[in-house]
Amino acid sequence: MEVANKYVTLKTHIEGAPKESDFELKTSPLALSLDPSSDEIIVKNLYVSIDPYQLNRMKLYNSSQKMGAGLEGITLGKEIKAYGVAEVVASDNVEFEKGDVVVGFVTWAEYSKIRGNGMIRKLDPLGFPLSYHVGLFGYSGLAAYAGFFEICKPKQGEKVFVSAASGSVGNMVGQYAKLLGCYVVGCAGSKQKVELLKEKLGFDDAFNYKGETDLNSALKRYFPDGIDIYFDNVGAEMLEAAVANMNTYGRVAVCGATSEYTDPGKRAAPNMLDVIYKRIKIQGFLAWDHMDVFEDFISTTGNCLRSGQMLPLEDFSNGVETIPSAFVGLFRGDNIGKKMVKITED
C-alpha cells in the first residue's frame, strides 16, 4: 500500500522572525511497507509539537546547533524532526508492533519513517488524552518541573516571577509554585492572558509587559520585597530587570530566550555587580539533562492533574498544512499554553 505523504520543509534559512513563506508543504509517495532487516518503523502522526527552540535550528548557523541530537541545523527541503505522538502502521523493529501508540521524535508530516535508533518509545497514556504527552508530560512539562524544582530549589513562601507565563512551560511553573505555597507573579502579552493567569491558574498577580514602559519599575511594583526565583523564558530586557530586583541568593532558571531568537542584536546584559554581591545563581538548562527525575515528574504532575490541583493549557491547530502558521504564531504570541498541531484523529 502507498500513501501520498504531506510534510513541511524549510525553504530558506531564517534570520529574524519567521514567515509562512519560509516553509513549503510537499507531498511524496510513501510505501507503507519496509525492507526486511531494516529495523525501521513507519508511524502515522497524531499530534506534533510546535516549539520556539526550532527557530535556532532553522538559522544558517547558531551555536546551539552544536549542542547535541535534536538541536542540529535543519537541511533545506528535508523533513523537520519534532516531538509528537503517533501510531505505528508498519514495523520491522522487534520493539514495536502495528497499532502501538508511541511518543518521541517524529517529523512535521502525516507519516514518518523512523530508524531503529530513533528517540521514540511505546506510550502508556496513563488514562490521559494523548495530547497531554506532547506537552504536559513531554519536554515542556519536564522543563517546567526540573527547572523549577532542580535548578531553583524553591521553598514555601518564596517570591517567584515567571516570564511568558501563559506559554507551554511558564504556565506549569506558576502552577507548581502555587502548589508549593509560593507567591507567584507572571507576565504575558495580552489582557486576556493576564486574566487567565489570575482567574484560571491562580497566580497571585500578573501583568501585560507590553503595557509597561519601564520593566524595572514594574517589577519593583509587583515585588516590593524583591524576587527570590525568576524562571526566564524570554531573556533580554526582562532578565535584566529581574536580576535588578532579585534578593540575595536569588536563583534564575534560564529555560528560553525567545525575544533574542528573532533579534540577533538583542542580548541580555544583567548588572554583574548585582549577580556577584547578591550571590545570584543564573543557570541555563535543557529538559533532557534531567531525565533522572522523569518518573517523579510524571507521578507528581499526573496526580495534580487528576485531583484538579493543576489545569491543562493546550492550544491546537488542525492539519499538517497549518504547521507553518502555527509556528509563526508562536513569535507573535498567538498561543495560550502548549501549541501543537493535530495531524489526524486519535
Side-chain angles (χ1 to χ4, degrees):
M1 180 181 171
E2 188 175 270
V3 295
N5 184 33
K6 292 180 183 177
Y7 58 99
V8 172
T9 69
L10 186 64
K11 191 160 58 175
T12 182
H13 289 112
I14 301 172
E15 300 301 331
K19 308 180 296 296
E20 290 185 44
S21 59
D22 295 325
F23 302 92
E24 184 175 3
L25 182 66
K26 292 185 175 182
T27 304
S28 295
L30 175 67
L32 298 184
S33 59
L34 295 163
D35 295 332
S37 304
S38 68
D39 203 31
E40 294 175 327
I41 63 173
I42 297 174
V43 299
K44 184 177 185 179
N45 296 319
L46 303 176
Y47 298 92
V48 295
S49 183
I50 308 296
D51 297 293
Y53 83 90
Q54 294 273 36
L55 184 59
N56 295 320
R57 299 184 61 219
M58 296 172 185
K59 297 175 181 179
L60 182 60
Y61 172 77
N62 185 271
S63 59
S64 65
Q65 295 172 3
K66 296 180 178 180
M67 295 296 109
L71 299 174
E72 63 277 355
I74 294 169
T75 303
L76 299 181
K78 299 295 185 181
E79 291 188 31
I80 297 170
K81 286 184 181 178
Y83 200 72
V85 170
E87 180 184 353
V88 177
V89 295
S91 176
D92 188 61
N93 185 309
V94 295
E95 295 183 17
F96 302 98
E97 296 179 0
K98 183 177 180 179
D100 285 344
V101 177
V102 295
V103 62
F105 282 94
V106 292
T107 56
W108 278 352
E110 292 179 327
Y111 293 85
S112 303
K113 183 182 284 189
I114 301 166
R115 296 191 180 118
N117 60 353
M119 297 172 63
I120 201 156
R121 61 180 172 84
K122 287 185 184 179
L123 173 62
D124 176 359
L126 304 171
F128 291 102
L130 294 181
S131 62
Y132 282 24
H133 298 273
V134 178
L136 292 162
F137 293 126
Y139 283 124
S140 296
L142 180 59
Y145 185 89
F148 185 60
F149 291 108
E150 298 297 303
I151 304 296
C152 296
K153 304 290 185 185
K155 303 180 186 69
Q156 183 178 6
E158 288 194 308
K159 295 171 282 297
V160 178
F161 174 48
V162 185
S163 58
S166 65
S168 61
V169 177
N171 89 86
M172 294 186 69
V173 173
Q175 293 189 75
Y176 287 136
K178 285 304 302 174
L179 287 171
L180 187 64
C182 297
Y183 174 79
V184 184
V185 176
C187 71
S190 72
K191 181 180 178 182
Q192 175 195 10
K193 292 178 179 180
V194 167
E195 290 175 352
L196 178 144
L197 294 174
K198 294 191 291 186
E199 296 173 11
K200 184 175 180 180
L201 300 187
F203 281 53
D204 293 286
D205 216 331
F207 65 93
N208 181 353
Y209 70 90
K210 293 179 181 177
E212 301 291 343
T213 56
D214 185 337
L215 293 174
N216 193 356
S217 297
L219 290 181
K220 276 186 171 62
R221 192 165 71 246
Y222 287 98
F223 293 96
D225 298 318
I227 299 168
D228 297 306
I229 291 171
Y230 172 44
F231 198 100
D232 185 22
N233 290 303
V234 301
E237 298 95 335
M238 195 67 76
L239 175 57
E240 295 173 10
V243 167
N245 284 276
M246 297 291 289
N247 289 328
T248 304
Y249 298 110
R251 289 87 75 202
V252 180
V254 184
C255 181
T258 54
S259 66
E260 300 182 24
Y261 296 170
T262 56
D263 185 350
K266 187 178 278 192
R267 292 289 182 268
N271 185 328
M272 296 309 293
L273 289 180
D274 281 341
V275 174
I276 295 166
Y277 286 101
K278 293 181 183 179
R279 286 83 100 195
I280 296 170
K281 171 186 171 183
I282 302 177
Q283 184 173 339
F285 71 100
L286 300 176
W288 47 77
D289 294 339
H290 298 278
M291 293 306 294
D292 58 318
V293 301
F294 188 77
E295 289 186 10
D296 289 339
F297 151 63
I298 293 293
S299 175
T300 299
T301 306
N303 289 338
C304 290
L305 287 166
R306 288 190 187 95
S307 67
Q309 292 176 292
M310 289 184 71
L311 297 177
L313 211 56
E314 298 179 303
D315 192 321
F316 297 97
S317 295
N318 293 301
V320 68
E321 65 279 358
T322 69
I323 288 174
S325 61
F327 183 73
V328 169
L330 285 180
F331 299 93
R332 293 194 301 251
D334 292 351
N335 63 299
I336 296 179
K338 176 62 189 177
K339 184 66 186 181
M340 66 189 89
V341 171
K342 185 176 184 178
I343 305 295
T344 50
E345 294 296 325
D346 297 4

